[in-house]
Amino acid sequence: MKFKKFMIPVLGVLIPHGAFADSSLFSIKDGDGFKRFAVSAGWLHVMPQGKPNNLGNKTVIPEGYEAGVGRIRLSDITENAVDKNGLTALLGLLDDTQITGGYLPDLGLKANVYGLEQWQSPNTGLEAQDVDTLGLVFNYYFTDHVSVELVGGIPPKVDLKGIGNVTAPLSTHTSVLGLADLDLQKDLQITNLDSYDTAASVRAWTPAVTLQYHFGQTGINKFRPYIGIGAMYAWFDDIKLNKGIEGDLIAAGHQIQNVLDGKAGAALSGETSSANPYVKVKADTGIAPFATAGFSYDFNDRWFSTASVSYAALNNKAKILVISDKDQSELIRSETKVDINPVITYLGIGYRF
């Protein structure tokens, strides 16, 4: 311990106090003819390359859930009955006076509900569209050849294109007072994403940092290519769902709530439920590997132009929730992986100092 206490002040004397300050790596003075800092601004064009992934869906209705049928539209039975035996038995219990306005009265029947707990929607998904924005790029040069770069800019609004038709594979089983079994099958319409130009828009915050190597030499080569690797951090806010899709999802939420309310017949006919469902959309944040290649061209020792092409292996998960205002439970949840994987081009004018 005494030896350490002795050596520390001795080393402090032997090592010059300006050693780190005078180092070309840490000094803020100009190095061998190059400037430490550079900033540029220009056109940033983002071209997502990812393909859509199927939507995965689930509702609050467990498999085999027993629900009251309640009042039911006759056409919903005749058009969706799997076989006619149960239908014949049911109609045999009624006379014409009991069928009012095309609806059967509440006979106290129960139905087991299947297919709504969870399912995949094939050939569906979300695709990010191309977008342009103002890019801002900052560089700090450790040496004439090595720099760290921060890429930012004005966060753009990105449109998400919806792909495919989302339906729910509903089936029910009812025992008609022990006389026969009545099975119904119907694909409940959730939303047809193909019917809308865009499914949603989102503001994307995607700063990236890279470590770069610059070829050539300042003062000798005006044209200097560079390559770099790093990471992109992405988060998303100001998510706005298409109003038409939002309306479709609210209607689907009413169908699920009607099943919970013991009104499976009302669910089939798309009637308003006892709840007032609303929709929330969420997007996960993510970190992605980032690679870039480009060049700079010097007009003089301070002003330059620059261009680059970059790629980020970026994806995130989007979640669409239909929530009941009664107890804040999730009536419907849809999730999909959004593969963005953008190719990013940049063209800018910069200044070194």
Side-chain angles (χ1 to χ4, degrees), residues 267-288:
L268 285 173
S269 55
E271 297 176 20
T272 300
S273 71
S274 62
N276 185 24
Y278 63 94
V279 181
K280 289 182 67 175
V281 184
K282 299 179 180 180
D284 291 347
T285 59
I287 298 177

Side-chain angles (χ1 to χ4, degrees), residues 72-79 87 90-91 99 102-104:
I72 186 170
R73 190 166 56 188
L74 179 59
S75 61
D76 284 327
I77 301 175
T78 57
E79 293 173 5
L87 176 60
L90 177 61
L91 295 179
I99 302 176
Y103 281 83
L104 275 64

Side-chain angles (χ1 to χ4, degrees), residues 9-308:
V10 170
L11 289 173
V13 173
L14 293 177
I15 298 176
H17 294 296
F20 291 104
D22 294 338
S23 166
S24 62
L25 185 63
F26 296 98
S27 174
I28 63 172
K29 299 178 181 178
D30 289 354
D32 297 330
F34 70 92
K35 302 292 189 291
R36 288 290 181 190
F37 300 95
V39 60
S40 68
W43 172 40
L44 203 62
H45 181 59
V46 183
M47 298 171 286
Q49 305 297 303
K51 301 300 181 183
N53 296 289
N54 290 339
L55 283 160
N57 316 283
K58 60 182 180 180
T59 77
V60 71
I61 307 296
E63 196 74 356
Y65 179 80
E66 186 178 77
V69 174
R71 180 171 173 264
I72 186 170
R73 190 166 56 188
L74 179 59
S75 61
D76 284 327
I77 301 175
T78 57
E79 293 173 5
N80 300 298
V82 176
D83 62 70
K84 302 303 179 183
N85 292 331
L87 176 60
T88 301
L90 177 61
L91 295 179
L93 299 174
L94 305 170
D95 58 51
D96 292 341
T97 61
Q98 291 178 289
I99 302 176
T100 305
Y103 281 83
L104 275 64
D106 185 355
L107 300 175
L109 299 177
K110 300 288 186 180
N112 294 106
V113 180
Y114 301 92
L116 298 183
E117 184 172 14
Q118 60 181 14
W119 72 97
Q120 290 279 325
S121 296
N123 303 313
T124 61
L126 298 173
E127 279 185 340
Q129 304 297 291
D130 290 8
V131 67
D132 297 289
T133 190
L134 174 67
L136 297 173
V137 179
F138 303 88
N139 279 82
Y140 175 78
Y141 287 81
F142 298 107
T143 72
D144 190 28
H145 296 286
V146 179
S147 75
V148 62
E149 180 179 86
L150 175 64
V151 181
I154 297 177
K157 274 280 194 178
V158 181
D159 287 335
L160 298 175
K161 171 67 176 174
I163 306 295
N165 188 25
V166 183
T167 60
L170 170 69
S171 63
T172 65
H173 173 79
T174 303
S175 176
V176 184
L177 303 180
L179 300 175
D181 292 333
L182 177 61
D183 295 320
L184 304 181
Q185 288 184 352
K186 181 180 181 179
D187 287 336
L188 294 181
Q189 182 66 47
I190 305 297
T191 186
N192 187 353
L193 298 174
D194 289 330
S195 299
Y196 303 97
D197 292 334
T198 59
S201 65
V202 59
R203 189 171 300 282
W205 301 75
T206 54
V209 61
T210 59
L211 185 66
Q212 297 182 344
Y213 184 83
H214 301 257
F215 299 91
Q217 185 174 342
T218 296
I220 296 177
N221 306 105
K222 288 182 176 292
F223 177 81
R224 298 189 65 186
Y226 63 84
I227 56 174
I229 57 172
M232 171 184 282
Y233 179 68
W235 76 94
F236 308 90
D237 64 6
D238 196 18
I239 304 172
K240 295 180 179 178
L241 189 65
N242 181 288
K243 291 297 184 182
I245 295 175
E246 183 179 12
D248 293 343
L249 294 174
I250 289 173
H254 281 297
Q255 291 177 305
I256 300 302
Q257 185 63 52
N258 273 323
V259 174
L260 295 174
D261 291 343
K263 299 178 180 179
L268 285 173
S269 55
E271 297 176 20
T272 300
S273 71
S274 62
N276 185 24
Y278 63 94
V279 181
K280 289 182 67 175
V281 184
K282 299 179 180 180
D284 291 347
T285 59
I287 298 177
F290 187 86
T292 186
F295 66 87
S296 62
Y297 182 83
D298 294 345
F299 300 122
N300 53 46
D301 65 337
R302 293 191 180 274
W303 289 97
F304 65 95
S305 62
T306 182
S308 66

